[in-house]
Amino acid sequence: GIFGPRTQGLAAPEGADFDAVMRTNVLAAMRLIPALVPPLAAAHGRLAVLSSRMGSVALMQSSSGWLYRASKAALNGVLKAASIELGAQGIVCLALHPGWVRTDMGGAGADIDATVSVTGMRRVIEAADAASNGSFFDYTGERLAW
């Protein structure tokens, strides 16, 4: 995913920034998910998208990065819609918040390193079952509100 412009408040995004963020964070998933259905259905697999807590409408307490927030909320909607159809085919669908990770996007002051994040998300994916379908989790396994 990409963050786009680092904004505070309600600064209107440029069209090119909007297109880049939405194409990367939302459209890419909408194009990839249908292609993954046949092998995932055959394996009764799991489908996980890398979302962000910033995409939770219920947990939102800031308007900063509102383009990124909107894109991750849209991605969460895509995942939830996919879970309705794919759950019936035995595919468990999850949205994951990786935590605030020390990466180019997260910065040097972030809480955790990539190894902690990825290890945690792999555990969440491995533990996912039919009751997890269509849910939003952080890397520790905590269920997050949409």
Side-chain angles (χ1 to χ4, degrees):
I2 60 172
F3 195 92
R6 303 255 174 199
T7 60
Q8 298 296 320
L10 306 180
E14 296 294 326
D17 290 331
F18 180 88
D19 290 348
V21 171
M22 289 298 185
R23 283 180 167 277
T24 301
N25 295 352
V26 185
L27 182 59
M30 293 179 85
R31 288 185 172 164
L32 185 59
I33 289 170
L36 295 174
V37 171
L40 286 172
H44 296 286
R46 295 173 183 96
L47 172 74
V49 298
L50 191 56
S51 184
S52 171
R53 183 182 174 106
M54 288 180 74
S56 168
V57 174
L59 300 174
M60 194 178 306
Q61 296 180 347
S62 168
S63 63
S64 68
W66 75 326
L67 175 55
Y68 179 76
R69 288 177 187 281
S71 75
K72 291 301 184 170
L75 177 63
N76 289 347
V78 165
L79 182 280
K80 185 66 176 177
S83 75
I84 294 166
E85 185 169 328
L86 301 182
Q89 297 180 48
I91 301 170
V92 176
C93 300
L94 310 168
L96 296 172
H97 167 59
W100 185 24
V101 185
R102 288 186 293 272
T103 62
D104 289 346
M105 185 186 299
D111 293 335
I112 60 173
D113 66 26
T115 301
V116 170
S117 174
V118 171
T119 299
M121 288 189 294
R122 289 183 68 175
R123 285 188 187 120
V124 172
I125 293 167
E126 184 178 346
D129 58 17
S132 307
N133 186 48
S135 296
F136 187 16
F137 293 95
D138 77 3
Y139 73 100
T140 69
E142 177 185 353
R143 192 177 296 257
L144 299 175
W146 289 113

